[in-house]
Amino acid sequence: AALLHARRATEIEPQSPLPIYVLCYALVKAGQFAEAEAVVSKWRQIASETYVAPFFIAMCEAAVGKKERAVELLEVALHENSAWILWLASEPKLDFMRDFEPFVDLVRRAGLPTERRST
């Protein structure tokens, strides 16, 4: 059901990167890794031609397990003073990166707690 809703969100907002990264995570969870990689590839191309907030491309890269590339893009987002950086401390989709030292360092430099707190 989550994959169906993620696909529908991208149909409604096809140029918005937020539902795109959610779709990437849903595809990976559903075992459709090749399709998730294709979505990321498409958005890499779009970002090479027009501005796409690096945070969203980073989230797509993280979804397909590209931790290093995700951190590189999150670094750009941090330097751009992106408001989306605030999500690094609480976004459950990034829990798998919480023991990845470059990510932990980035979160720390952003002035955020390095351990996600449950609400």
Coordinates of all heavy atoms in Angstrom, one line a residue, residues 38-105:
A38 N 16.8 3.6 -11.0 CA 16.4 4.3 -12.2 C 15.8 5.7 -11.8 O 16.1 6.7 -12.5 CB 15.4 3.5 -13.0
V39 N 15.0 5.7 -10.8 CA 14.5 7.0 -10.3 C 15.6 7.9 -9.8 O 15.6 9.1 -10.2 CB 13.5 6.8 -9.1 CG1 13.1 8.1 -8.5 CG2 12.2 6.0 -9.6
V40 N 16.6 7.4 -9.1 CA 17.7 8.2 -8.7 C 18.5 8.7 -9.9 O 18.9 9.9 -9.9 CB 18.6 7.4 -7.7 CG1 19.9 8.2 -7.3 CG2 17.9 7.0 -6.5
S41 N 18.7 7.9 -10.8 CA 19.5 8.3 -12.0 C 18.7 9.4 -12.8 O 19.4 10.4 -13.2 CB 19.6 7.0 -13.0 OG 20.3 7.4 -14.1
K42 N 17.4 9.3 -12.9 CA 16.6 10.3 -13.5 C 16.8 11.6 -12.8 O 17.0 12.7 -13.4 CB 15.2 9.9 -13.5 CG 14.3 11.0 -14.0 CD 12.8 10.6 -13.9 CE 11.9 11.8 -14.2 NZ 10.5 11.5 -13.8
W43 N 16.8 11.6 -11.5 CA 16.9 12.9 -10.7 C 18.3 13.4 -10.7 O 18.5 14.6 -10.6 CB 16.3 12.7 -9.3 CG 14.8 12.9 -9.4 CD1 13.9 12.0 -9.8 CD2 14.1 14.1 -9.4 NE1 12.6 12.6 -9.9 CE2 12.7 13.9 -9.7 CE3 14.5 15.4 -9.1 CZ2 11.8 14.9 -9.7 CZ3 13.5 16.5 -9.1 CH2 12.2 16.2 -9.4
R44 N 19.3 12.5 -10.8 CA 20.7 13.0 -10.9 C 20.8 13.8 -12.2 O 21.4 14.9 -12.3 CB 21.6 11.8 -11.0 CG 22.0 11.2 -9.7 CD 23.1 10.1 -10.0 NE 23.1 9.2 -8.9 CZ 23.0 7.9 -9.0 NH1 22.8 7.3 -10.1 NH2 23.0 7.1 -7.9
Q45 N 20.1 13.3 -13.3 CA 20.2 14.0 -14.6 C 19.4 15.3 -14.5 O 19.9 16.4 -14.9 CB 19.5 13.1 -15.7 CG 19.5 13.8 -17.0 CD 20.9 14.0 -17.6 OE1 21.8 13.3 -17.4 NE2 21.0 15.2 -18.3
I46 N 18.3 15.3 -13.9 CA 17.5 16.6 -13.7 C 18.3 17.6 -12.9 O 18.4 18.8 -13.3 CB 16.2 16.3 -13.0 CG1 15.2 15.5 -14.0 CG2 15.5 17.6 -12.6 CD1 14.0 15.0 -13.3
A47 N 19.0 17.1 -11.9 CA 19.8 18.0 -11.0 C 21.0 18.6 -11.8 O 21.5 19.6 -11.4 CB 20.2 17.3 -9.7
S48 N 21.5 17.8 -12.8 CA 22.6 18.3 -13.6 C 22.2 19.4 -14.6 O 23.0 20.2 -15.0 CB 23.3 17.2 -14.3 OG 22.5 16.8 -15.4
E49 N 20.9 19.5 -14.8 CA 20.4 20.5 -15.8 C 19.7 21.7 -15.1 O 19.6 22.8 -15.7 CB 19.4 19.8 -16.7 CG 20.1 18.7 -17.6 CD 19.1 17.8 -18.3 OE1 17.8 18.1 -18.1 OE2 19.5 16.9 -19.0
T50 N 19.2 21.5 -13.9 CA 18.5 22.6 -13.2 C 18.7 22.4 -11.7 O 19.0 21.3 -11.3 CB 17.0 22.5 -13.6 OG1 16.3 23.7 -13.0 CG2 16.3 21.3 -13.1
Y51 N 18.4 23.4 -11.0 CA 18.6 23.3 -9.6 C 17.6 22.4 -8.9 O 16.4 22.5 -9.1 CB 18.6 24.7 -8.9 CG 18.8 24.6 -7.4 CD1 20.1 24.5 -6.9 CD2 17.7 24.6 -6.5 CE1 20.3 24.3 -5.5 CE2 17.9 24.5 -5.1 CZ 19.2 24.3 -4.7 OH 19.4 24.2 -3.3
V52 N 18.1 21.4 -8.2 CA 17.3 20.6 -7.3 C 18.0 20.7 -5.9 O 19.2 20.5 -5.8 CB 17.2 19.1 -7.8 CG1 16.4 18.3 -6.8 CG2 16.6 19.1 -9.2
A53 N 17.2 21.0 -4.9 CA 17.8 21.0 -3.6 C 18.6 19.8 -3.3 O 18.1 18.7 -3.4 CB 16.7 21.3 -2.5
P54 N 19.9 19.9 -2.9 CA 20.7 18.8 -2.7 C 20.2 17.8 -1.6 O 20.5 16.6 -1.7 CB 22.1 19.4 -2.2 CG 22.0 20.8 -2.7 CD 20.6 21.2 -2.8
F55 N 19.5 18.3 -0.7 CA 18.9 17.5 0.4 C 18.1 16.3 -0.3 O 18.2 15.2 0.2 CB 18.0 18.3 1.3 CG 17.4 17.4 2.4 CD1 18.0 17.1 3.6 CD2 16.1 16.9 2.2 CE1 17.4 16.3 4.5 CE2 15.5 16.1 3.2 CZ 16.1 15.8 4.3
F56 N 17.3 16.7 -1.2 CA 16.4 15.7 -1.8 C 17.1 14.6 -2.7 O 16.8 13.4 -2.6 CB 15.3 16.3 -2.6 CG 14.4 17.2 -1.8 CD1 14.5 18.6 -1.9 CD2 13.5 16.6 -0.9 CE1 13.7 19.4 -1.1 CE2 12.7 17.4 -0.1 CZ 12.8 18.8 -0.2
I57 N 18.1 15.1 -3.4 CA 18.9 14.1 -4.1 C 19.7 13.2 -3.1 O 19.9 12.0 -3.3 CB 19.9 14.8 -5.1 CG1 19.1 15.7 -6.1 CG2 20.8 13.8 -5.8 CD1 18.2 15.0 -7.0
A58 N 20.2 13.8 -2.0 CA 20.9 13.1 -1.0 C 20.0 12.0 -0.4 O 20.4 10.8 -0.2 CB 21.3 14.0 0.1
M59 N 18.7 12.3 -0.2 CA 17.8 11.3 0.3 C 17.6 10.2 -0.6 O 17.4 9.0 -0.2 CB 16.5 12.0 0.7 CG 16.6 13.0 1.9 SD 17.1 12.1 3.4 CE 15.6 11.2 3.8
C60 N 17.5 10.5 -1.9 CA 17.4 9.5 -3.0 C 18.6 8.6 -2.9 O 18.5 7.3 -3.0 CB 17.2 10.1 -4.3 SG 15.6 10.9 -4.6
E61 N 19.8 9.2 -2.9 CA 21.0 8.4 -2.8 C 21.1 7.5 -1.6 O 21.5 6.4 -1.7 CB 22.3 9.4 -2.8 CG 22.4 10.2 -4.1 CD 22.9 9.4 -5.3 OE1 23.1 8.2 -5.2 OE2 23.1 10.1 -6.3
A62 N 20.6 8.1 -0.5 CA 20.6 7.3 0.8 C 19.7 6.1 0.6 O 20.0 5.0 1.1 CB 20.2 8.2 2.0
A63 N 18.5 6.3 0.0 CA 17.5 5.3 -0.2 C 18.1 4.0 -0.9 O 17.8 2.9 -0.5 CB 16.3 5.8 -1.0
V64 N 19.0 4.3 -1.9 CA 19.6 3.2 -2.6 C 21.0 2.7 -2.0 O 21.7 2.0 -2.6 CB 19.7 3.5 -4.1 CG1 18.3 3.6 -4.7 CG2 20.6 4.7 -4.4
G65 N 21.3 3.2 -0.8 CA 22.4 2.8 -0.1 C 23.7 3.5 -0.4 O 24.8 3.0 0.0
K66 N 23.7 4.6 -1.1 CA 24.9 5.3 -1.4 C 25.2 6.3 -0.3 O 25.0 7.5 -0.5 CB 24.7 6.1 -2.8 CG 24.2 5.2 -3.9 CD 25.4 4.5 -4.6 CE 24.8 3.9 -5.8 NZ 25.4 2.7 -6.2
K67 N 25.6 5.8 0.8 CA 25.9 6.6 2.0 C 26.9 7.8 1.7 O 26.6 8.9 2.1 CB 26.4 5.8 3.1 CG 25.4 4.8 3.7 CD 26.1 4.1 4.9 CE 25.1 3.1 5.5 NZ 25.8 2.4 6.6
E68 N 28.0 7.5 1.1 CA 29.0 8.5 0.9 C 28.5 9.6 0.0 O 28.7 10.8 0.3 CB 30.3 7.9 0.2 CG 31.0 6.9 1.1 CD 30.5 5.5 1.0 OE1 29.5 5.2 0.2 OE2 30.9 4.6 1.8
R69 N 27.8 9.2 -1.1 CA 27.2 10.3 -2.0 C 26.2 11.1 -1.3 O 26.1 12.3 -1.4 CB 26.7 9.6 -3.2 CG 26.1 10.6 -4.2 CD 27.2 11.4 -4.9 NE 26.6 12.4 -5.8 CZ 26.9 13.7 -5.9 NH1 27.9 14.1 -5.1 NH2 26.3 14.4 -6.7
A70 N 25.4 10.4 -0.4 CA 24.3 11.1 0.3 C 25.0 12.2 1.2 O 24.5 13.3 1.3 CB 23.5 10.1 1.1
V71 N 26.0 11.8 1.9 CA 26.7 12.7 2.8 C 27.3 13.9 2.1 O 27.2 15.0 2.5 CB 27.7 12.0 3.7 CG1 28.6 13.0 4.5 CG2 27.0 11.1 4.7
E72 N 27.9 13.6 0.9 CA 28.4 14.7 0.1 C 27.4 15.7 -0.3 O 27.6 16.9 -0.2 CB 29.0 14.1 -1.2 CG 30.3 13.3 -1.1 CD 30.7 12.6 -2.3 OE1 30.1 12.9 -3.4 OE2 31.6 11.8 -2.3
L73 N 26.2 15.2 -0.7 CA 25.1 16.1 -1.0 C 24.5 16.8 0.2 O 24.1 18.0 0.1 CB 24.0 15.4 -1.8 CG 24.5 15.0 -3.2 CD1 23.6 13.9 -3.7 CD2 24.5 16.2 -4.1
L74 N 24.5 16.1 1.3 CA 24.0 16.8 2.6 C 25.0 17.9 3.0 O 24.5 18.9 3.6 CB 23.8 15.7 3.7 CG 22.6 14.8 3.4 CD1 22.7 13.6 4.4 CD2 21.3 15.5 3.5
E75 N 26.2 17.7 2.7 CA 27.2 18.7 3.0 C 26.9 19.9 2.2 O 27.0 21.1 2.7 CB 28.6 18.1 2.7 CG 29.8 19.0 3.1 CD 30.1 18.9 4.6 OE1 30.1 17.8 5.1 OE2 30.3 20.0 5.2
V76 N 26.6 19.8 1.0 CA 26.2 20.9 0.1 C 25.0 21.6 0.7 O 24.9 22.8 0.8 CB 26.0 20.5 -1.3 CG1 25.4 21.6 -2.2 CG2 27.2 19.9 -2.0
A77 N 24.0 20.8 1.1 CA 22.8 21.4 1.7 C 23.1 22.1 3.0 O 22.5 23.2 3.2 CB 21.8 20.2 2.0
L78 N 24.0 21.6 3.8 CA 24.4 22.3 5.0 C 25.0 23.7 4.6 O 24.7 24.7 5.2 CB 25.4 21.4 5.8 CG 25.9 22.1 7.1 CD1 24.8 22.3 8.1 CD2 27.0 21.1 7.7
H79 N 25.9 23.7 3.7 CA 26.6 24.9 3.3 C 25.6 25.9 2.6 O 25.8 27.1 2.7 CB 27.8 24.7 2.3 CG 28.9 24.0 3.0 ND1 29.5 24.6 4.1 CD2 29.5 22.8 2.8 CE1 30.5 23.8 4.6 NE2 30.5 22.7 3.8
E80 N 24.5 25.4 2.1 CA 23.5 26.3 1.5 C 22.5 26.8 2.6 O 21.6 27.5 2.3 CB 22.7 25.5 0.5 CG 23.4 25.3 -0.8 CD 22.5 24.6 -1.9 OE1 21.4 24.2 -1.6 OE2 23.0 24.5 -3.0
N81 N 22.7 26.3 3.8 CA 21.8 26.7 4.9 C 20.4 26.2 4.7 O 19.4 26.9 5.0 CB 21.8 28.2 5.2 CG 23.2 28.6 5.8 OD1 23.8 27.9 6.6 ND2 23.7 29.7 5.2
S82 N 20.3 25.0 4.1 CA 19.0 24.4 3.8 C 18.2 24.1 5.1 O 18.8 23.5 6.0 CB 19.2 23.1 3.0 OG 17.9 22.4 2.9
A83 N 17.0 24.6 5.1 CA 16.2 24.3 6.3 C 15.9 22.8 6.4 O 15.6 22.3 7.6 CB 14.8 25.1 6.2
W84 N 16.0 22.1 5.4 CA 15.8 20.6 5.4 C 16.8 19.9 6.3 O 16.5 18.8 6.7 CB 15.7 20.0 4.0 CG 14.5 20.5 3.3 CD1 14.4 21.5 2.4 CD2 13.2 19.9 3.4 NE1 13.1 21.6 1.9 CE2 12.4 20.7 2.5 CE3 12.7 18.9 4.1 CZ2 11.0 20.4 2.4 CZ3 11.3 18.6 4.0 CH2 10.5 19.4 3.1
I85 N 17.9 20.5 6.5 CA 19.0 19.8 7.3 C 18.4 19.5 8.7 O 18.9 18.5 9.3 CB 20.2 20.8 7.4 CG1 21.0 20.8 6.1 CG2 21.2 20.4 8.5 CD1 21.6 19.4 5.7
L86 N 17.5 20.3 9.2 CA 16.9 20.0 10.5 C 16.3 18.6 10.6 O 16.3 18.0 11.7 CB 15.8 21.0 10.8 CG 16.3 22.5 11.0 CD1 15.1 23.4 11.2 CD2 17.2 22.6 12.2
W87 N 16.0 18.0 9.5 CA 15.4 16.7 9.5 C 16.4 15.6 9.8 O 16.1 14.4 10.1 CB 14.6 16.4 8.2 CG 13.4 17.2 8.1 CD1 13.2 18.4 7.4 CD2 12.2 16.9 8.8 NE1 11.9 18.8 7.6 CE2 11.3 17.9 8.4 CE3 11.7 15.9 9.6 CZ2 10.0 18.0 8.9 CZ3 10.4 15.9 10.0 CH2 9.5 16.9 9.7
L88 N 17.7 15.9 9.6 CA 18.7 14.8 9.8 C 18.7 14.2 11.2 O 18.9 13.0 11.3 CB 20.1 15.4 9.6 CG 20.4 16.0 8.2 CD1 21.9 16.5 8.2 CD2 20.2 14.9 7.2
A89 N 18.3 14.9 12.2 CA 18.3 14.3 13.5 C 17.1 13.5 13.8 O 17.1 12.7 14.8 CB 18.4 15.5 14.6
S90 N 16.0 13.6 13.0 CA 14.8 12.9 13.4 C 14.2 12.0 12.3 O 13.3 11.3 12.5 CB 13.7 13.9 13.8 OG 13.4 14.8 12.7
E91 N 14.7 12.1 11.1 CA 14.1 11.4 9.9 C 14.4 9.9 10.1 O 15.6 9.4 10.0 CB 14.7 11.9 8.6 CG 14.3 11.1 7.4 CD 12.9 11.0 7.2 OE1 12.2 12.0 6.8 OE2 12.3 9.8 7.4
P92 N 13.4 9.1 10.3 CA 13.6 7.6 10.5 C 14.2 6.9 9.3 O 14.9 5.9 9.5 CB 12.2 7.1 10.8 CG 11.3 8.2 11.1 CD 12.0 9.5 10.5
K93 N 14.0 7.5 8.1 CA 14.6 6.9 6.9 C 16.1 6.9 6.9 O 16.7 6.2 6.2 CB 14.0 7.6 5.7 CG 12.6 7.3 5.4 CD 12.1 8.1 4.2 CE 10.7 8.0 3.9 NZ 9.8 8.6 5.0
L94 N 16.7 7.8 7.8 CA 18.1 7.9 7.9 C 18.7 7.1 9.1 O 19.9 7.1 9.3 CB 18.5 9.3 8.0 CG 18.2 10.2 6.8 CD1 18.5 11.6 7.0 CD2 19.0 9.6 5.6
D95 N 17.9 6.3 9.8 CA 18.3 5.6 10.9 C 19.5 4.7 10.6 O 20.4 4.5 11.4 CB 17.2 4.8 11.6 CG 16.3 5.7 12.4 OD1 16.6 6.8 12.7 OD2 15.3 5.1 12.9
F96 N 19.5 4.1 9.4 CA 20.6 3.2 9.0 C 21.9 3.9 8.8 O 22.9 3.2 8.8 CB 20.2 2.4 7.7 CG 20.3 3.2 6.5 CD1 21.5 3.1 5.7 CD2 19.4 4.2 6.1 CE1 21.6 3.9 4.5 CE2 19.5 4.9 5.0 CZ 20.6 4.8 4.2
M97 N 21.9 5.2 8.8 CA 23.1 6.0 8.7 C 23.7 6.5 10.0 O 24.8 7.1 10.0 CB 22.9 7.1 7.7 CG 22.7 6.7 6.3 SD 22.6 7.9 5.0 CE 24.1 8.8 5.2
R98 N 23.0 6.3 11.1 CA 23.3 6.9 12.4 C 24.6 6.3 12.9 O 25.2 6.9 13.9 CB 22.2 6.7 13.3 CG 21.0 7.5 12.8 CD 20.0 7.9 13.8 NE 18.8 8.5 13.1 CZ 18.8 9.6 12.5 NH1 19.8 10.5 12.6 NH2 17.7 10.0 11.8
D99 N 25.1 5.2 12.4 CA 26.4 4.7 12.8 C 27.5 4.9 11.8 O 28.6 4.4 11.9 CB 26.4 3.2 13.2 CG 26.0 2.3 12.1 OD1 25.6 2.9 11.0 OD2 26.0 1.1 12.2
F100 N 27.2 5.7 10.7 CA 28.1 6.0 9.7 C 28.8 7.3 10.0 O 28.2 8.4 10.1 CB 27.4 6.1 8.3 CG 28.2 6.4 7.1 CD1 29.3 5.5 6.8 CD2 28.0 7.4 6.3 CE1 30.1 5.8 5.7 CE2 28.7 7.7 5.2 CZ 29.8 6.8 4.9
E101 N 30.1 7.2 10.4 CA 30.8 8.4 11.0 C 30.7 9.6 10.2 O 30.5 10.7 10.8 CB 32.3 8.0 11.3 CG 33.0 9.0 12.2 CD 32.2 9.3 13.5 OE1 31.7 8.4 14.1 OE2 32.2 10.5 13.8
P102 N 30.9 9.6 8.9 CA 30.7 10.9 8.1 C 29.4 11.5 8.3 O 29.2 12.8 8.4 CB 31.0 10.5 6.7 CG 31.8 9.3 6.8 CD 31.3 8.5 8.0
F103 N 28.3 10.7 8.4 CA 27.0 11.2 8.7 C 26.9 11.8 10.1 O 26.4 12.9 10.3 CB 25.9 10.2 8.4 CG 24.5 10.6 8.7 CD1 23.8 11.4 7.8 CD2 23.9 10.3 9.9 CE1 22.5 11.8 8.1 CE2 22.6 10.7 10.2 CZ 21.9 11.5 9.2
V104 N 27.4 11.1 11.0 CA 27.4 11.5 12.4 C 28.1 12.9 12.6 O 27.6 13.8 13.2 CB 28.0 10.5 13.4 CG1 28.1 11.0 14.8 CG2 27.1 9.2 13.4
D105 N 29.2 13.0 11.9 CA 30.0 14.2 11.9 C 29.2 15.4 11.3 O 29.2 16.5 11.9 CB 31.3 14.0 11.2 CG 32.2 15.3 11.2 OD1 32.5 15.8 12.3 OD2 32.5 15.7 10.1

